[in-house]
Amino acid sequence: MNSLLESHTLPPFSQIKPADVEPAISQLIEQNHKQIAEVVAHVQQHDITLENFLLPFEELNDNLSKAWSPVSHLNSVMNNDELRDAYNACLPKLSEYSTELGQHKGLYQAYKELKDSDQFNDFTTAQKKVIDNALRDFHLSGIDLPEEKQKRYGEISLRLSELTSKFAENVLDCTNAFSHHITDKAELSGLPETQLHGAELAAKEKDLEGYLLTLDIPVYIAVMTYCDNRALRKIFYEAYNTKASDRGPFAGQYDNNPLMQEILALRHELAELLGFNNYAERSIATKMTETTDQVMDFLFDLAKKALPSAKKEFEELKAFAAEQGEPDLQAWDVSYYSEKLKQQRYAISQEELRPWFPLEKVLNGLFDIAQRLFSVEFKRDESADLYHQDVRFYRVYRDGEEIAAFYMDIYARANKRGGAWMDVCRSRRKTINGELQKPVAYLVCNFNGPVGDKPALLTHNEVTTLFHEFGHGLHHMLTQVEEDAVSGIAGVAWDAVELPSQFLENWCWEKEAIPLMSGHFESGEPLPDEMLEKMLAAKNFQSAMMMVRQLEFSIFDFKIHRDYQPGMDIHAELDQVREQVAVISPPEFNRFECSFSHIFAGGYAAGYYSYNWAEVLSADAFSRFEEEGIFNASTGQDFRQHILEMGGSEEPMELFKRFRGREPKVDALLRHSGLAA
């Protein structure tokens, strides 16, 4: 039997075989085609209703999603050759299917009939939004185009799905290909004990003496931040910032440059097919922002506010490095001397904080905070079918009733995509037989696991990352919407989707909240007041430099999609943006853009600015808690009701105004970042 074709409440991970993937997806697509024909047959009779059209159609999409979601997830977290081949074999089929649906005249007519019918006024807000979004998306899928242009739209979509997948593979393969073997411990002076121990274990696994260092994020950050060996920092900086490019240790071997050229060209062509001037216009058609100028003005306005402080911070860093005997500060020195300066100023480091943030304590605090704010409880279920021994499964309860669940995959390992993310496993929806399907999420991070007899210990930065992803998770899991297309994070404008995630990070910086998530892993003692004060004092250390760095990515992303020209020199565009907003000039060999997966392999194309945009929303939303109490249950309930429960069922600006009582202001963000003065 093919487990992907059987009905399961949760993915049957232990039974999924790569050989089953393509047959299952092909069969489901074929079944769906047949059933869609039956569903839209009602168009001829003009008797389209929610019951005979929308519900059955959602059911088809959900069945396919339930089979594909675990496969796609495994491809990201347990990547191997067999699975990768099966995954890639399905991409063209899914792309073709998606294009056919987007250009399906019968489906389009069915939605139009629902919109124009007398019953439309009786529909719920969410149902109306599903229909309006669907009609908008039909236009964005080329329903109005003549046949040959529709065909071209399909070809472009298919090719883009292949290219973006290949881009991500190149980044992963290049990351996995790099390792650095060291036998002399003296070369690693400054590196924290946890990392040294991890590097020793990594060497043992490969039957090597000494230490083996990889490009896994926790290792890379540790080398760049703490390693006294400048030559080693340069080696790692170069390997990391030339990933999948024509430079560095694997120059040309996994080169993403030709892929980026083709991706940008095809996106631009796609946008023009649909009547837009460029892909940035196409991107914001489904977002909160209304014009490309509005986005650019917003980004440059923030840059103008942050740049003077960022320049000052960088000058201070250069002066400090010179005092320390390094008059020629290079990009591979920035994290190292920043950490030393932070130590001198605040006598606190991320590594020093680790013993006070054992994973179990952090999770208990995270769950406690969510319970106080949103009246939900979390219980681990050890009996779930998991794909790796490190993965955990939790069920979510409100008033004693199970409402959702999630998988948590926290530690870095080989063949797992870097970074942190939340993804959908199941959506909350009313099924065709009237039952309620509960939402299930995947939450993924890449932290160091337990080392020896020590539990997993997190830096405060990692704690913040965990809270961020959990914010996305809550948005998905606490939804009260019952229509798949606007339930949880579905249908939420992309520049508002980061609101709940960035919002939840605020509790990591609150004196009242920190004791809930911290305690020494051996003694259980609370984080000493002195350390807490230092940590809070250091909160905005180099925050202007951090902000302009984010703005550099956002402006670059938006600019290459808005101002695209055939054969555009992508690297030169990035350099130009850096001249305008960056304070650190990276070396000539830096090819950051070649591993910028968010925009070339993720959903952030011409949308990376969403992080900056949502930061304004989240800071302003949190300012209401600052006014009314950070654990004020009724404020928490308001946030749950107006933001988390509503999913994509209404426009985000309306929901925000309902929660905040007004439109968002940038003041709170500037104040939180220490840039208000």
Side-chain angles (χ1 to χ4, degrees):
M1 276 303 284
N2 188 328
S3 63
L4 292 169
L5 291 170
E6 292 166 29
S7 178
H8 300 274
T9 314
L10 292 167
F13 285 116
S14 59
Q15 299 166 39
I16 296 175
K17 302 182 192 75
D20 288 344
V21 174
E22 197 186 352
I25 297 303
S26 299
Q27 187 175 325
L28 285 165
I29 288 174
E30 200 179 321
Q31 280 172 4
N32 282 9
H33 276 310
K34 285 185 187 136
Q35 285 171 285
I36 287 167
E38 290 166 25
V39 166
V40 297
H42 296 281
V43 174
Q44 277 78 46
Q45 284 94 46
H46 300 293
D47 70 340
I48 290 286
T49 64
L50 291 178
E51 290 70 30
N52 68 21
F53 165 61
L54 204 56
L55 276 172
F57 182 53
E58 279 204 338
E59 195 89 5
L60 300 180
N61 292 333
D62 191 54
N63 287 340
L64 181 58
S65 156
K66 277 193 204 139
W68 181 243
S69 141
V71 172
S72 173
H73 181 63
L74 288 172
N75 187 58
S76 295
V77 295
M78 296 287 285
N79 194 286
N80 61 51
D81 290 344
E82 276 181 291
L83 182 63
R84 179 183 285 194
D85 290 345
Y87 175 84
N88 284 333
C90 293
L91 287 180
K93 296 172 192 282
L94 289 161
S95 174
E96 203 174 300
Y97 174 70
S98 161
T99 300
E100 283 170 15
L101 291 198
Q103 296 176 354
H104 196 295
K105 295 278 195 284
L107 283 174
Y108 176 56
Q109 274 316 119
Y111 277 104
K112 263 177 68 167
E113 284 209 8
L114 277 181
K115 170 83 178 175
D116 299 338
S117 69
D118 299 336
Q119 40 178 337
F120 186 75
N121 293 329
D122 303 328
F123 293 162
T124 64
T125 310
Q127 288 162 343
K128 288 176 180 168
K129 190 81 168 79
V130 168
I131 293 162
D132 288 338
N133 283 1
L135 291 170
R136 173 199 71 192
D137 294 343
F138 275 112
H139 294 296
L140 295 175
S141 299
I143 193 84
D144 314 311
L145 299 176
E147 204 173 310
E148 71 279 5
K149 285 190 172 175
Q150 281 191 347
K151 184 167 170 283
R152 180 62 189 144
Y153 178 99
E155 290 164 0
I156 294 173
S157 302
L158 172 61
R159 183 67 182 142
L160 279 171
S161 79
E162 293 167 355
L163 288 166
T164 53
S165 177
K166 184 64 181 160
F167 184 99
E169 282 174 12
N170 283 344
V171 175
L172 180 66
D173 291 347
C174 195
T175 305
N176 285 339
F178 179 87
S179 63
H180 191 76
H181 181 219
I182 285 177
T183 48
D184 181 1
K185 190 176 180 179
E187 285 187 43
L188 297 173
S189 94
L191 203 65
E193 272 307 313
T194 45
Q195 296 298 348
L196 274 174
H197 194 57
E200 233 174 336
L201 291 177
K204 273 198 187 108
E205 273 177 28
K206 296 263 195 291
D207 295 327
L208 296 168
E209 291 295 308
Y211 307 86
L212 190 68
L213 299 168
T214 65
L215 278 189
D216 282 346
I217 279 287
V219 181
Y220 174 71
I221 290 175
V223 171
M224 298 313 293
T225 312
Y226 301 106
C227 215
D228 301 324
N229 182 342
R230 191 184 193 212
L232 186 66
R233 293 201 308 269
K234 185 182 178 185
I235 289 170
F236 270 75
Y237 177 89
E238 183 169 1
Y240 191 84
N241 289 285
T242 57
K243 275 191 298 191
S245 77
D246 54 347
R247 301 297 169 95
F250 298 99
Q253 218 171 315
Y254 306 96
D255 190 4
N256 271 334
N257 277 297
L259 274 64
M260 286 149 53
Q261 286 292 346
E262 196 178 346
I263 287 168
L264 285 183
L266 289 175
R267 283 176 181 163
H268 189 75
E269 187 187 343
L270 193 75
E272 285 189 325
L273 267 181
L274 296 171
F276 296 104
N277 292 309
N278 50 63
Y279 193 79
E281 280 185 14
R282 159 67 189 86
S283 165
I284 63 168
T286 56
K287 294 182 173 69
M288 276 176 86
T289 38
E290 284 156 10
T291 66
T292 56
D293 285 351
Q294 185 188 5
V295 175
M296 279 303 208
D297 291 349
F298 165 73
L299 293 172
F300 277 108
D301 183 50
L302 263 187
K304 199 169 84 180
K305 291 184 165 91
L307 257 175
S309 300
K311 285 177 176 161
K312 185 165 164 264
E313 288 170 359
F314 191 56
E315 287 309 314
E316 285 170 357
L317 181 65
K318 283 204 297 198
F320 172 77
E323 279 167 30
Q324 300 286 310
E326 187 45 78
D328 179 30
L329 187 76
Q330 294 294 333
W332 46 90
D333 303 319
V334 170
S335 295
Y336 178 76
Y337 285 105
S338 292
E339 183 61 28
K340 290 236 180 304
L341 175 58
K342 189 174 174 182
Q343 282 275 21
Q344 188 198 63
R345 219 175 257 184
Y346 307 103
I348 194 82
S349 81
Q350 288 290 326
E351 282 303 314
E352 267 176 88
L353 289 165
R354 251 190 223 276
W356 271 273
F357 290 103
L359 178 66
E360 299 310 321
K361 182 71 183 170
V362 173
L363 285 176
N364 289 339
L366 173 60
F367 296 160
D368 189 358
I369 289 165
Q371 184 174 359
R372 292 178 189 214
L373 293 172
F374 310 124
S375 311
V376 284
E377 285 179 79
F378 307 89
K379 289 179 188 161
R380 188 168 173 183
D381 178 354
E382 306 264 2
S383 67
D385 182 353
L386 305 173
Y387 53 86
H388 190 278
Q389 73 256 26
D390 291 341
V391 178
R392 305 155 174 236
F393 182 72
Y394 292 90
R395 297 187 185 274
V396 187
Y397 297 86
R398 182 187 292 155
D399 302 329
E401 184 196 349
E402 188 187 334
I403 57 164
F406 61 97
Y407 295 87
M408 197 174 244
D409 185 346
I410 288 193
Y411 306 133
R413 59 177 174 266
N415 301 315
K416 178 179 173 185
R417 180 156 68 89
W421 68 92
M422 171 260 153
D423 208 351
V424 175
C425 172
R426 298 279 187 270
S427 295
R428 184 179 198 268
R429 54 181 284 272
K430 185 65 81 59
T431 66
I432 201 155
N433 52 17
E435 289 167 13
L436 192 63
Q437 176 172 294
K438 297 180 186 106
V440 184
Y442 301 117
L443 294 172
V444 186
C445 298
N446 272 286
F447 305 150
N448 284 322
V451 175
D453 52 0
K454 274 188 189 173
L457 303 172
L458 308 189
T459 63
H460 185 256
N461 286 346
E462 289 172 335
V463 173
T464 312
T465 298
L466 182 61
F467 271 67
H468 179 100
E469 298 311 330
F470 200 69
H472 282 307
L474 290 173
H475 200 187
H476 176 66
M477 295 186 290
L478 300 193
T479 189
Q480 287 296 295
V481 179
E482 296 180 355
E483 284 70 28
D484 198 358
V486 291
S487 155
I489 58 168
V492 178
W494 202 262
D495 41 7
V497 89
E498 294 295 334
L499 162 58
S501 51
Q502 292 178 338
F503 164 82
L504 203 64
E505 289 180 28
N506 287 292
W507 274 264
C508 300
W509 295 100
E510 289 296 319
K511 270 187 183 175
E512 268 182 88
I514 290 166
L516 300 175
M517 63 185 87
S518 61
H520 197 278
F521 77 96
E522 286 169 324
S523 64
E525 279 175 44
L527 185 69
D529 287 348
E530 185 193 357
M531 283 181 87
L532 176 60
E533 291 303 332
K534 287 173 182 172
M535 187 180 100
L536 295 175
K539 179 190 176 192
N540 289 323
F541 176 67
Q542 295 186 343
S543 64
M545 276 168 64
M546 298 267 287
M547 188 180 278
V548 295
R549 187 165 172 267
Q550 277 292 102
L551 290 166
E552 174 192 318
F553 301 160
S554 299
I555 293 167
F556 163 69
D557 162 48
F558 208 73
K559 198 169 179 294
I560 57 174
H561 286 99
R562 188 191 67 171
D563 304 341
Y564 174 77
Q565 296 294 327
M568 168 189 263
D569 185 335
I570 298 169
H571 184 68
E573 292 292 326
L574 180 54
D575 278 345
Q576 202 185 339
V577 171
R578 283 172 173 155
E579 275 168 34
Q580 290 173 286
V581 300
V583 291
I584 300 167
S585 300
E588 190 280 327
F589 63 72
N590 180 298
R591 289 294 182 274
F592 158 76
E593 67 276 17
C594 293
S595 59
F596 196 179
S597 298
H598 272 78
I599 69 167
F600 288 112
Y604 284 87
Y608 197 80
Y609 77 88
S610 303
Y611 283 106
N612 306 96
W613 186 266
E615 242 182 326
V616 172
L617 302 179
S618 67
D620 198 3
F622 183 67
S623 67
R624 191 180 146 191
F625 284 86
E626 291 177 305
E627 291 157 19
E628 297 170 10
I630 67 153
F631 288 122
N632 186 314
S634 72
T635 318
Q637 196 177 336
D638 275 1
F639 190 81
R640 191 185 84 199
Q641 281 179 344
H642 298 311
I643 309 289
L644 300 176
E645 290 185 351
M646 300 302 286
S649 64
E650 288 189 58
E651 289 302 323
M653 186 60 87
E654 289 312 307
L655 297 176
F656 182 90
K657 286 195 295 196
R658 221 171 284 163
F659 171 69
R660 201 64 188 89
R662 55 166 173 75
E663 294 214 341
K665 294 178 184 172
V666 76
D667 314 16
L669 173 61
L670 297 175
R671 179 167 51 78
H672 288 173
S673 310
L675 301 174

